Amino acid sequence: MTTHDSQTIALPRDTNVDRAWWKEAVVYQIYPRSFNDSDGTGVGDIPGITEKADYLDELGVDVVWLCPVYDSPNADNGYDIRDYRSIMDEFGTMTDWEALRDALHERDIRLIMDLVVNHTSKQHVWFQKSRRCEDGYEDYYHWQDGDPDEPPNNWQSIFGGPAWSYDEERGQWYLHLFDPEQPDLNWRNPDVRDAVADVVTWWLEKGIDGFRLDAIDHLSKADGYPDGDSDEPITGLEHFSHGPRLREYLTELATAFEGYDTMTVGEMGGADIEQVDEYTGEGGLNTVFQFEHMGVTAGPDGPWDPEQFGEWDLTDLKEIIGQQQGEIDWPALFFGNHDQPRLVSHFGDDEAYREESAKLVATFLLTLRGTPYIYQGEEIGMTNDVFSSLDELDDPMTVGIVEELLEEGAIDTYDDAADLVNHRSRDHARTPMQWSDEPNAGFTTGDPWFAANENYTDINVESSLTDPDSVWNHYRRLIDLRHDEDAFVYGEYDDLLPDDEQLYAYTRTLGDERMLVVLNWSDDTATLDDLVVETSHAEVVLSNYDGVSDDPSAGSFDPYEATVYRVGST
Ligand code: GLC
């Protein structure tokens, strides 16, 4: 039995909401390489996505965010772009891409692309020209003189190792905040900014509906490239995140969007909650991915702390979500993506309560204020995989960081990091989408580029569609509910039990309409006593358990129960 402190809640009655389609949308993120292979090459492709347009429509999503499909040598699975205006051969052709765009639009699903302009591939023609110092391209990247054995400063790459590599051809160091194959563009150069704006216009003219902007908080680097504080988890981050000219660059970039009906969401891995609104609104981005809640499972040395990871307290999550809900003008809501562990493994119980906890996190995602993002596979409760050696990994970040831990002596062998990798690696999110119990999860008839999680025989789309109680059907109902109830989109969020370690209860109130969400985020039963909200007219609108009472204080909540009530008029 748990007890709860009461608190008073202020209820706004103003229903004059500032509507926008991108606020009311539910977004579905596709990592094309792992989504669906149409031609048996073992690699997911664009026609494979088009084949699934009806699937997306049935799920009820409004927008697809397509991870990079541009021509790329794939040092980082497409996040290293060689040509912004052409499609990667493995994924198909521009005609295939146009067919996908049209298939989505015919179903009223919008399409946003991934704009990766903090860096390019080393094979991009801009880098090729820059390393040869060709006229006009000398300063397209961050070049620094120096002894070939001594990088210009102590900055670390986000993927592990130094952030500088020496280029023999030019005889200088170049900066790469990610892989050495991903040199950072020099945004101080107005020609670079113009060239990026041209890319944006080119794609907008092709009829897309916006962009997710990759690693966008890193565009501006501190003048003089000062050394960073080596006690921080990533040395130098304070000098290459939220740099002095970031807002100026974003404002300039925003002019390329003028006159188009688009949405933008910027990935800002290092943004504090207070910083988000600096970059959004008039002349900025529409929204920003703020990552603080994803860090609740991290240790003191960050998400890759080999000593401490995975443990977390519900009250910490509530505090962060409360701040995001209260302080960010329009939050971008997510609990997983292609860089994160699988949502149910990260925030739920992927064993005994896999279905219940996957539905619970889904309920949370789809009843908060902001624009929700569903990552492929979440809708069937896909889980983390198990990787027992470095050879089984693909992700350059995981490999780079494990190698760095080995080098620093923080671990002696891969086995010392295996639990961390099996908790955290980006590879978990990149195992093929589990369509059926056919070989390779029905993802490909060929040899898959990356092995499917063996649990596909139990967890797959085909069986989910026919089971009315599946995680998939729960997502569909939640999406419908969100579309039907403005209170979930625009309503005020109030946390009723900020100090409770087991139950998360909050209301969403819009004018006279009030919804109550109660999540038992634990594998024990829980009871609710002092709910400071009137529930005499409460009725259940959705739950992940059967036979739930309309009165939230009548009985107990089952493990990972997630129940949504209409508590009626305020
Ligand atoms: C972003 C992407 C990630 C990529 C990195 C470098 O964080 O989400 O997948 O590796 O940027 O482009």
Side-chain angles (χ1 to χ4, degrees):
M1 180 104 165
T2 46
T3 53
H4 316 287
D5 296 335
S6 341
Q7 66 176 115
T8 329
I9 305 154
L11 296 171
R13 292 192 162 267
D14 179 12
T15 50
N16 289 331
V17 291
D18 187 11
R19 288 184 178 274
W21 64 262
W22 48 267
K23 294 182 177 173
E24 296 174 14
V26 174
V27 184
Y28 187 91
Q29 183 194 348
I30 292 183
Y31 195 70
R33 197 168 199 80
S34 305
F35 191 64
N36 186 33
D37 173 19
S38 70
D39 57 2
T41 58
V43 173
D45 49 41
I46 292 175
I49 303 171
T50 309
E51 275 175 16
K52 300 294 182 185
D54 281 335
Y55 169 80
L56 299 169
D57 197 25
E58 225 179 304
L59 184 59
V61 298
D62 309 287
V63 176
V64 162
W65 151 23
L66 193 59
C67 286
V69 292
Y70 319 93
D71 175 42
S72 161
N74 280 312
D76 186 21
N77 286 347
Y79 281 92
D80 48 321
I81 297 172
R82 184 165 44 202
D83 181 354
Y84 289 100
R85 292 176 176 82
S86 70
I87 299 291
M88 193 191 302
D89 281 346
E90 283 176 301
F91 288 175
T93 61
M94 192 57 83
T95 310
D96 293 330
W97 179 86
E98 284 162 0
L100 171 62
R101 175 202 58 196
D102 294 346
L104 294 174
H105 283 169
E106 277 158 24
R107 291 163 180 80
D108 286 331
I109 300 174
R110 304 194 201 224
L111 174 61
I112 65 172
M113 300 285 278
D114 217 314
L115 186 68
V116 188
V117 289
N118 173 69
H119 45 269
T120 65
S121 162
K122 255 182 105 171
Q123 296 184 23
H124 195 290
V125 67
W126 296 339
F127 188 83
Q128 296 302 317
K129 291 186 173 184
S130 192
R131 72 175 352 169
R132 292 192 296 264
C133 275
E134 279 189 28
D135 206 18
Y137 290 89
E138 300 91 331
D139 294 328
Y140 253 58
Y141 295 83
H142 295 267
W143 294 103
Q144 286 290 288
D145 287 331
D147 186 321
D149 299 323
E150 184 68 39
N153 68 20
N154 67 354
W155 293 2
Q156 256 183 321
S157 150
I158 293 166
F159 284 178
W164 298 88
S165 288
Y166 193 75
D167 187 58
E168 295 291 346
E169 193 169 335
R170 176 149 159 164
Q172 275 187 313
W173 292 88
Y174 68 90
L175 179 68
H176 53 85
L177 298 183
F178 296 92
D179 194 84
E181 293 299 310
Q182 295 168 297
D184 278 49
L185 282 165
N186 177 13
W187 276 68
R188 291 177 197 139
N189 181 345
D191 292 346
V192 167
R193 305 202 294 275
D194 286 347
V196 169
D198 285 349
V199 169
V200 166
T201 306
W202 194 85
W203 280 101
L204 292 175
E205 283 296 311
K206 287 196 76 70
I208 64 165
D209 304 291
F211 281 108
R212 176 258 187 190
L213 297 95
D214 185 72
I216 209 71
D217 50 332
H218 302 309
L219 298 186
S220 165
K221 279 82 175 170
D223 283 340
Y225 308 105
D227 272 339
D229 176 353
S230 52
D231 290 334
E232 290 297 319
I234 300 174
T235 307
L237 189 73
E238 69 275 28
H239 299 306
F240 56 74
S241 225
H242 311 286
R245 297 182 63 186
L246 180 58
R247 173 69 214 205
E248 174 198 331
Y249 297 155
L250 292 178
T251 305
E252 190 177 317
L253 188 61
T255 58
F257 289 87
E258 279 168 14
Y260 296 92
D261 181 19
T262 56
M263 69 179 277
T264 51
V265 54
E267 183 203 28
M268 293 202 170
D272 294 337
I273 291 170
E274 307 81 63
Q275 282 170 325
V276 169
D277 286 351
E278 281 176 39
Y279 301 113
T280 55
E282 198 56 34
L285 301 167
N286 290 135
T287 53
V288 160
F289 289 123
Q290 202 279 330
F291 282 76
E292 199 157 326
H293 59 296
M294 299 303 281
V296 287
T297 55
D301 267 347
W304 288 95
D305 184 339
E307 300 297 328
Q308 198 182 315
F309 56 88
E311 299 291 317
W312 61 286
D313 291 327
L314 185 59
T315 46
D316 291 343
L317 182 69
K318 288 178 182 181
E319 194 180 332
I320 298 167
I321 296 288
Q323 280 172 14
Q324 291 173 337
Q325 291 284 291
E327 293 172 31
I328 297 178
D329 184 49
W330 195 259
L333 306 165
F334 69 103
F335 294 97
N337 66 29
H338 66 295
D339 296 328
Q340 298 293 332
R342 289 284 175 182
L343 165 152
V344 69
S345 304
H346 200 184
F347 292 107
D349 172 347
D350 63 6
E351 292 179 349
Y353 293 104
R354 185 187 65 84
E355 295 214 6
E356 292 83 351
S357 62
K359 290 174 187 172
L360 176 140
V361 187
T363 306
F364 191 41
L365 172 72
L366 289 155
T367 58
L368 287 173
R369 193 179 70 80
T371 300
Y373 288 74
I374 298 169
Y375 179 64
Q376 69 186 39
E378 263 171 37
E379 75 276 26
I380 54 168
M382 278 177 63
T383 65
N384 277 2
D385 208 339
V386 178
F387 302 107
S388 43
S389 74
L390 262 188
D391 300 340
E392 290 178 23
L393 299 168
D394 172 74
D395 170 28
M397 179 180 202
T398 311
V399 173
I401 287 176
V402 171
E403 282 171 351
E404 189 176 83
L405 292 171
L406 286 165
E407 231 161 77
E408 287 167 352
I411 55 169
D412 294 327
T413 63
Y414 172 82
D415 287 350
D416 297 334
D419 286 347
L420 174 61
V421 169
N422 285 323
H423 163 69
R424 167 90 263 149
S425 174
R426 306 196 304 175
D427 281 327
H428 298 296
R430 300 167 183 197
T431 59
M433 180 73 183
Q434 296 170 198
W435 292 106
S436 71
D437 62 3
E438 302 281 305
N440 302 315
F443 160 73
T444 179
T445 53
D447 186 14
W449 76 274
F450 201 49
N453 188 318
E454 283 175 7
N455 65 18
Y456 72 80
T457 47
D458 293 326
I459 304 172
N460 60 63
V461 169
E462 196 173 76
S463 60
S464 303
L465 294 177
T466 50
D467 171 6
D469 291 330
S470 65
V471 175
W472 192 90
N473 271 302
H474 208 71
Y475 267 87
R476 199 183 46 74
R477 284 190 284 267
L478 281 162
I479 294 169
D480 284 352
L481 189 60
R482 190 176 179 91
H483 285 150
D484 289 348
E485 295 290 344
D486 268 351
F488 287 122
V489 179
Y490 296 109
E492 176 90 359
Y493 162 94
D494 285 290
D495 182 352
L496 306 182
L497 307 169
D499 300 323
D500 196 294
E501 286 291 355
Q502 198 183 3
L503 285 173
Y504 198 151
Y506 51 94
T507 47
R508 302 295 317 281
T509 310
L510 186 69
D512 290 342
E513 196 65 86
R514 182 187 271 165
M515 314 299 286
L516 166 68
V517 180
V518 183
L519 311 173
N520 176 8
W521 215 310
S522 80
D523 54 9
D524 279 328
T525 51
T527 26
L528 192 54
D529 312 313
D530 305 324
L531 250 202
V532 284
V533 68
E534 173 60 49
T535 56
S536 52
H537 299 294
E539 53 167 346
V540 173
V541 291
L542 190 60
S543 178
N544 57 351
Y545 278 82
D546 288 332
V548 171
S549 161
D550 281 334
D551 178 0
S553 26
S556 58
F557 287 84
D558 285 317
Y560 291 102
E561 179 174 334
T563 300
V564 181
Y565 306 83
R566 183 189 310 282
V567 291
S569 184
T570 56

